Amino acid sequence: MWSRRIRRALRPSVALVGLAVLGAAAAADLQEALESITARDIDAHLRFLAADELAGRAPGSPGGEAAAAYIAAQFARSGLEAPGFGYLQRFRVLGSATDADRSSLRMSPRSSDDAAPSLAATIPSQAVLWAGVADSAIDVEGELVFVGYGIDAPEYDWDDFGGIDLTGRLALVLVGDPPAPPDEPDRFDGIALTYYGRWTYKLEEAARRGAAGVLLVHADARAGYPWSVVEASWTGEQYTLPPRLDGAAVAPLQGWVTTEFARALFSAAGMDLGDMTAAAARREFRAVSTGLRARGTVRSTVRELQTSNVIGVLPGADPVGRAEAVVLTTHYDHLGVGPAVDGDSVYNGAYDNASGVALLLEIAEAFGSLDPRPRRSLVFIATAAEEAGLLGAEHYVRNPVVPLRRTLANVNVDGGNLWGETEDVVPLGADRSTLGVVVQERAAQLGMRVSPDRAPERGFFFRSDHFPFARAGVPAIYIEHGLAYRGRPAGWGERQLSTYDARDYHQPSDEYDPSMDLSGAVQQARLMMLVAYDVARDPAPPQWFETSEFKPARDRMMRR
């Protein structure tokens, strides 16, 4: 059933041109292509990509390069053409590995007097720090300002900053959105996380206001993951793209602090974390000085490396239509080798996201067998450096092989179903564009219903490679598998995924298991193929709904 937001989004009059009825031969060919997607072939790709020999596929590592070469070879075998630069879209990445033993975070309740009592964070159990810029020595000292949720959103009549200049100061910020009160249930989209609630937005907004440092207050519920994930994800090498030509601001010092440390520092300031969090939930809140002086030091080993998006193109059958494209994406990188857990230091990333790559490769091969092909082109991208902040997708959006104004849609997968067939599918972004209608129709043909986002408060729509496309104005959807497993009792799927999130997410235990039931991955891949196929041949391209926050970007793009 459509969620309340989806139903609200569907109210505007959207003219959907019906898909042309396929001829018997074309329908038979499409069915044969769909049936060529098998659990055995998905298993073969998954087994290789998640093997210890690839050492977690970190960007620029030998294992990452081997994965990229494998994907490129599979694209070539499937008949996909290479862009002018070849299958590998190389790009520079700046890597910075924090030396925790030489990094520190200290709060002094008075001036910069070294004799003043201070509060020091234990790294990494209470704070995780990294350099926002590629510099081996970051030293920041300044007033600590609590900026609440760190949001400036005129459409919600919300401004946490009140015009404060953060130059030379450090911002302490809560992740997530302010909670919606009973009398305003749709404020910041209710329980659903908006982009304003993402930690990436917090860093960007504080930097735009001149902050020298930004400290994010972690809480399991608001962040969507436990502190162990923060330690695993941010204590290793961090990656950024080279500075943009537009000179976008970046805070030199960035980091997370635990709720417990935040409570202690507020206490040192004569404040209460609970009281300040409650104050930040009110519209009239404005940034307030804590009276503390923060000193942050980050010592890093900095290097420049190269990594690659892997891109294959299936040109459309129509001489005019082939200038337009549907882009299918998934990321092939993971965390590489990191801190050992139970003696295992290889972060294989089987579910996240060797499984998604396996699906993409099967879809590419199935499309390559089609004759005739859809009228529009299909671009397949296995992105790099997704775990580092969607960097590969961001690089592609800045340097597309098909101009974004002629890119009609992005269909993304991040996590192939490893537990069996489901009765449902969860298309994230279905409430934002007419792509949701396409997914609903095709899912029904495959015997699946559409279920709403399982955890809208965690903001999954903003956490994978489709998001840079959406932010740039390209209608995008993320095909997440369902949780209503066939032959299983109610709640079984939720328990499987909850166990994965708690035990295996960004941990060495996310490994290949030959007992995985990949029949659900076959469902997922076939649905993705059908959605891309429909968009590639439908005369009417997908459109953002008027209620979508990404429609203005598309409108601006099309006016150029």
Side-chain angles (χ1 to χ4, degrees):
M1 178 177 292
W2 295 110
S3 69
R4 180 178 63 180
R5 181 174 174 180
I6 295 175
R7 292 196 304 271
R8 190 170 65 242
L10 283 170
R11 286 174 190 161
S13 176
V14 178
L16 291 176
V17 177
L19 298 175
V21 177
L22 290 175
D29 189 60
L30 176 59
Q31 184 62 34
E32 184 177 349
L34 289 169
E35 291 176 357
S36 73
I37 299 173
T38 67
R40 182 189 64 183
D41 291 343
I42 291 173
D43 179 87
H45 296 309
L46 177 58
R47 186 187 299 255
F48 174 79
L49 290 165
D52 281 353
E53 287 76 9
L54 268 64
R57 308 183 306 280
S61 69
E65 294 292 294
Y70 176 83
I71 295 164
Q74 295 300 317
F75 281 171
R77 187 179 67 83
S78 297
L80 272 60
E81 298 180 4
F85 48 74
Y87 289 106
L88 302 184
Q89 185 185 44
R90 304 289 286 177
F91 62 96
R92 294 167 54 228
V93 171
L94 304 177
S96 179
T98 300
D99 183 344
D101 293 335
R102 297 193 299 134
S103 300
S104 63
L105 178 65
R106 187 178 297 273
M107 306 289 168
S108 298
R110 292 197 294 274
S111 67
S112 58
D113 180 5
D114 289 336
S118 61
L119 176 67
T122 302
I123 297 175
S125 61
Q126 292 181 317
V128 171
L129 305 176
W130 65 93
V133 295
D135 192 330
S136 60
I138 299 292
D139 292 284
V140 170
E141 181 176 352
E143 177 187 10
L144 183 68
V145 179
F146 177 56
V147 298
Y149 287 91
I151 293 173
D152 180 10
E155 67 271 33
Y156 290 107
D157 188 25
W158 197 276
D159 178 11
D160 285 326
F161 298 96
I164 190 172
D165 182 2
L166 291 177
T167 301
R169 296 168 166 171
L170 283 80
L172 182 69
V173 57
L174 303 172
V175 294
D177 294 307
D183 61 342
E184 199 178 351
D186 290 333
R187 189 175 76 184
F188 290 102
D189 224 9
I191 65 169
L193 187 73
T194 71
Y195 186 52
Y196 294 118
R198 287 285 289 147
W199 60 271
T200 50
Y201 168 82
K202 316 288 185 178
L203 297 179
E204 294 164 2
E205 189 60 37
R208 281 191 284 268
R209 295 167 185 275
V214 186
L215 299 174
L216 306 162
V217 179
H218 178 271
D220 288 5
R222 288 200 303 266
Y225 36 77
W227 184 255
S228 61
V229 172
V230 174
E231 289 194 57
S233 302
W234 277 276
T235 54
E237 189 170 30
Q238 303 300 303
Y239 305 101
T240 60
L241 293 175
R244 291 175 53 166
L245 295 178
D246 61 10
V250 178
L253 183 142
Q254 301 176 6
W256 289 90
V257 298
T258 63
T259 298
E260 290 72 21
F261 184 75
R263 183 175 291 111
L265 72 85
F266 272 117
S267 179
M271 302 175 177
D272 179 78
L273 173 61
D275 291 343
M276 297 307 296
T277 300
R282 296 192 290 269
R283 181 172 272 110
E284 59 270 21
F285 173 83
R286 296 295 181 268
V288 59
S289 174
T290 63
L292 299 176
R293 192 167 188 84
R295 303 177 186 179
T297 297
V298 178
R299 295 292 180 265
S300 308
T301 300
V302 178
R303 66 184 179 122
E304 180 178 307
L305 61 147
Q306 282 202 336
T307 188
S308 305
N309 292 326
V310 190
I311 304 175
V313 180
L314 191 70
D318 183 83
V320 176
R322 71 180 53 171
E324 298 178 326
V326 180
V327 175
L328 295 95
T329 52
T330 196
H331 74 92
Y332 71 88
D333 65 292
H334 199 58
L335 303 182
V337 177
V341 178
D342 296 330
D344 187 357
S345 60
V346 177
Y347 289 65
N348 305 79
Y351 179 70
D352 181 19
N353 183 39
S355 62
V357 179
L359 267 62
L360 189 74
L361 293 177
E362 279 294 279
I363 296 166
E365 184 175 7
F367 266 116
S369 70
L370 277 178
D371 184 20
R373 296 172 179 173
R375 59 188 297 266
R376 296 187 179 100
S377 298
L378 293 147
V379 179
F380 295 83
I381 311 175
T383 64
E386 187 269 357
E387 300 290 5
L390 317 181
L391 300 186
E394 181 64 32
H395 177 79
Y396 177 86
V397 165
R398 297 182 193 179
N399 304 274
V401 299
V402 175
L404 295 186
R405 68 189 313 274
R406 295 205 298 268
T407 299
L408 304 187
N410 170 231
V411 183
N412 181 60
V413 63
D414 191 347
N417 188 350
L418 307 181
W419 297 285
E421 290 190 352
T422 61
E423 302 285 353
D424 64 337
V425 65
V426 182
L428 300 183
D431 53 346
R432 290 178 162 89
S433 79
T434 57
L435 282 171
V437 179
V438 180
V439 174
Q440 185 188 41
E441 291 175 349
R442 283 303 195 177
Q445 292 174 12
L446 293 176
M448 294 186 289
R449 65 179 182 272
V450 167
S451 289
D453 187 349
R454 63 185 174 88
E457 71 281 2
R458 294 177 63 178
F460 288 114
F461 185 80
F462 310 107
R463 292 167 57 174
S464 193
D465 281 323
H466 59 285
F467 180 63
F469 287 88
R471 185 166 55 182
V474 177
I477 201 158
Y478 169 8
I479 305 295
E480 188 176 58
H481 62 80
L483 294 177
Y485 283 84
R486 292 175 178 167
R488 300 290 188 176
W492 185 87
E494 286 84 352
R495 289 193 294 275
Q496 301 307 303
L497 204 54
S498 294
T499 298
Y500 170 83
D501 286 345
R503 183 189 66 194
D504 305 322
Y505 176 60
H506 283 195
Q507 299 296 316
S509 54
D510 184 4
E511 296 184 294
Y512 171 79
D513 183 341
S515 67
M516 291 169 172
D517 184 348
L518 300 177
S519 59
V522 172
Q523 280 183 307
Q524 198 175 356
R526 290 176 177 174
L527 177 60
M528 283 185 64
M529 180 178 182
L530 286 170
V531 171
Y533 180 81
D534 287 350
V535 176
R537 60 187 299 276
D538 190 345
Q543 301 291 329
W544 292 112
F545 291 134
E546 292 294 333
T547 53
S548 172
E549 61 269 55
F550 306 112
K551 186 178 184 299
R554 187 68 177 182
D555 292 343
R556 289 191 298 271
M557 181 192 304
M558 300 309 290
R559 287 195 296 267
R560 293 173 189 164

